[in-house]
Amino acid sequence: MFTGLSAFPLTPVVDDRVDLDSYARLIAHVSEAGVDSITALGSAGLYPYFTREERRAVARTAVQHAGDTPVIVGVGALRTRDVRQHVADAQEAGAAGVLLAPMSYHPLTRDDVYALFEDVAGDLSVPLAVYDNPTVTRFTFDDDLYAAVAALPGVGSIKIPGVPAGAEEAAARVNQIRARIPGHVTVGVSGDAHAARGLLASCDAWYSVIGGTIPQTARTVSDPARKGDHEAALAASQRLSPLWDLFAAHGGSLRVVAALAESLGLATAPVLPRPLLPLDPAARAEVDRVADALSLT
């Protein structure tokens, strides 16, 4: 379930409403590329910006248009009550799993986060992936919390925020985490520039932003990595350095991937919900240049 390439697609917005037609095409595009799973309503899927009704519609659309590809649905929210409602909606929609990040306005304590996962675990009929994404949540898990949450019933994976740059250090870090969690819980890497190193360091999954828009390009990294072809995987990631540079230059992947979706005809501008603004024309032109130069698909 939580292994291989998991694609995190955007949720396109047009006229301040979820564009379900474009979303359906995007889901089909990703599924047809042969990804291992699709994660709807992840961070790239902009889940905090949508109402419960919108999120329910997105989850149903993802499941309906994903073919045989398993769909994981993000269920994060500020209140535990709302998380539990989103879990119920995702399971009713036919999700194969759910993804939960600890969201907050007021900073969360370690005990708050454990209690959140403990409360949600009792509602699960599908497995859950723990979403550690400190860049957006401003909460960082420690290894003790990984161990405690991973021991809860229904937890199937932990998504870690990257790995160290060196191969030995990356492998040591993944093994350090793996030693603290049950054997059935997978470890997935995120931060697309880290993906090759993470997979080669024995991460079970890559939770991928680019997989949700340019899945064939993502597979040029994941396929050789999963076969243990270190040289090919690292070379493929190095080839995408201009894309990683764009992510770094624009505060993360979101606006760049939104521009890519528009350039590739997968969504209609503006993709992002206000107050999120798209890239300015100069930056958008640079994204187009990189997409053409790298033949991103």
Side-chain angles (χ1 to χ4, degrees):
M1 175 60 200
F2 297 118
T3 60
L5 176 62
S6 187
F8 280 53
L10 291 159
T11 307
V13 171
V14 171
D15 296 329
D16 211 29
R17 301 174 66 88
V18 176
D19 184 354
L20 290 176
D21 291 337
S22 292
Y23 188 68
R25 290 193 297 271
L26 187 59
I27 293 294
H29 166 72
V30 172
S31 177
E32 290 163 4
V35 301
D36 295 287
S37 64
I38 296 171
T39 300
L41 296 170
S43 291
L46 300 164
Y47 66 94
Y49 293 88
F50 302 122
T51 66
R52 181 182 180 186
E53 291 72 22
E54 288 172 323
R55 291 171 67 160
R56 185 188 293 122
V58 168
R60 290 174 176 170
T61 300
V63 171
Q64 289 169 1
H65 293 272
D68 295 330
T69 307
V71 174
I72 303 160
V73 175
V75 295
L78 290 173
R79 289 187 64 180
T80 300
R81 175 204 63 188
D82 297 332
V83 174
R84 297 177 79 166
Q85 290 174 345
H86 296 318
V87 168
D89 292 341
Q91 292 177 155
E92 182 181 356
V98 295
L99 176 78
L100 176 58
M103 284 182 62
S104 68
Y105 176 79
H106 295 287
L108 296 173
T109 69
R110 184 184 182 280
D111 289 344
D112 293 334
V113 172
Y114 179 79
L116 167 66
F117 284 93
E118 185 179 41
D119 288 342
V120 171
D123 299 332
L124 296 173
S125 62
V126 297
L128 177 146
V130 178
Y131 195 10
D132 184 5
N133 189 354
T135 300
V136 294
T137 65
R138 304 298 190 265
F139 180 86
T140 300
F141 286 72
D142 58 36
D143 288 2
D144 288 340
L145 187 55
Y146 280 158
V149 171
L152 292 169
V155 173
S157 185
I158 294 175
K159 174 194 140 324
I160 63 172
V163 293
E168 292 184 4
E169 293 84 356
R173 177 60 185 141
V174 175
N175 289 334
Q176 184 180 37
I177 295 170
R178 209 182 290 282
R180 301 292 308 276
I181 62 177
H184 68 275
V185 177
T186 68
V187 178
V189 66
S190 63
D192 287 0
H194 299 275
R197 295 195 305 274
L199 292 171
L200 294 172
S202 82
C203 284
D204 304 286
W206 171 18
Y207 295 114
S208 172
V209 173
I210 66 167
T213 304
I214 45 173
Q216 294 290 2
T217 298
R219 288 192 60 180
T220 66
V221 176
S222 64
D223 288 0
R226 294 171 68 184
K227 295 175 183 176
D229 189 339
H230 289 230
E231 184 176 347
L234 292 172
S237 183
Q238 179 63 32
R239 175 180 171 272
L240 296 176
S241 290
L243 185 57
W244 311 149
D245 291 343
L246 285 174
F247 289 178
H250 297 292
S253 58
L254 178 62
R255 289 175 173 83
V256 176
V257 172
L260 280 174
E262 295 169 13
S263 295
L264 298 173
L266 297 170
T268 303
V271 173
L272 303 176
R274 306 279 290 196
L276 297 176
L277 297 176
L279 295 177
D280 63 39
R284 172 62 189 273
E286 180 64 10
V287 171
D288 291 345
R289 187 193 67 77
V290 168
D292 289 342
L294 298 180
S295 300
L296 300 179
T297 59

